[in-house]
Amino acid sequence: MKNALALLLLAPGCYVYSNDVDRVPPPDAPVVITNYAPIVSDGYAGVLYDGYYGDDVWTFEAVVDDPDGVLDVVGVWADVYDEYAGGVLVESFELFPTDDPYFWVSDWYGSTTFLDPFYAGYTVDIVAYDSYDDFDFITVWADTY
């Protein structure tokens, strides 16, 4: 009997029984996902001349955060509108993340765009999207010559 008790004490496993049926949600329970929209806190759009390449360079910048974490931001775009023509969309430019996860930037040669560097009627919507397609934007006037 002592040997059987010693073997029982040295047994490597144990069984745990639980009756937690109340903790398992029913299969048709709705899944609630809480998502917050990103926040575009600052933006810039403007053009400068690059003498080395002999071309204008359009620059678009954005500072973006997200209450769900900055890595929830999956895309930032600069949508350029012609305000003097009734707010017509002229062109859209994708911005790219930098080493700073809050700062997004994009540079485009003027010869590759439809934008006129001497035209003062452009507004730019800086739009940030998160992984649930929620978004935020700000509107800035483009700095031109």
Side-chain angles (χ1 to χ4, degrees):
M1 182 77 171
K2 284 185 180 181
N3 290 341
L5 185 57
L7 283 174
L8 189 58
L9 292 175
L10 294 175
C14 64
Y15 293 99
V16 176
Y17 294 97
S18 176
N19 194 12
D20 288 339
V21 179
D22 295 337
R23 293 188 185 185
V24 178
D28 59 346
V31 177
V32 178
I33 297 174
T34 302
N35 181 59
Y36 298 98
I39 300 167
V40 181
S41 58
D42 197 12
Y44 171 79
V47 63
L48 293 173
Y49 183 74
D50 185 332
Y52 182 78
Y53 289 103
D55 199 354
D56 299 303
V57 177
W58 285 90
T59 300
F60 304 98
E61 299 174 353
V63 178
V64 181
D65 196 1
D66 193 306
D68 298 312
V70 71
L71 297 179
D72 189 37
V73 178
V74 295
V76 179
W77 289 82
D79 300 326
V80 181
Y81 295 92
D82 184 345
E83 290 302 319
Y84 298 151
V88 175
L89 177 66
V90 177
E91 199 164 356
S92 293
F93 300 93
E94 184 176 8
L95 278 67
F96 302 97
T98 63
D99 291 339
D100 179 353
Y102 299 93
F103 187 69
W104 295 65
V105 68
S106 185
D107 293 327
W108 298 83
Y109 288 116
S111 59
T112 65
T113 72
F114 295 112
L115 303 179
D116 179 358
F118 296 97
Y119 185 68
Y122 295 129
T123 59
V124 181
D125 285 350
I126 307 292
V127 187
Y129 297 92
D130 70 4
S131 58
Y132 287 96
D133 287 336
D134 215 348
F135 67 94
D136 185 35
F137 72 96
I138 62 170
T139 303
V140 296
W141 284 92
D143 287 338
T144 57
Y145 298 135

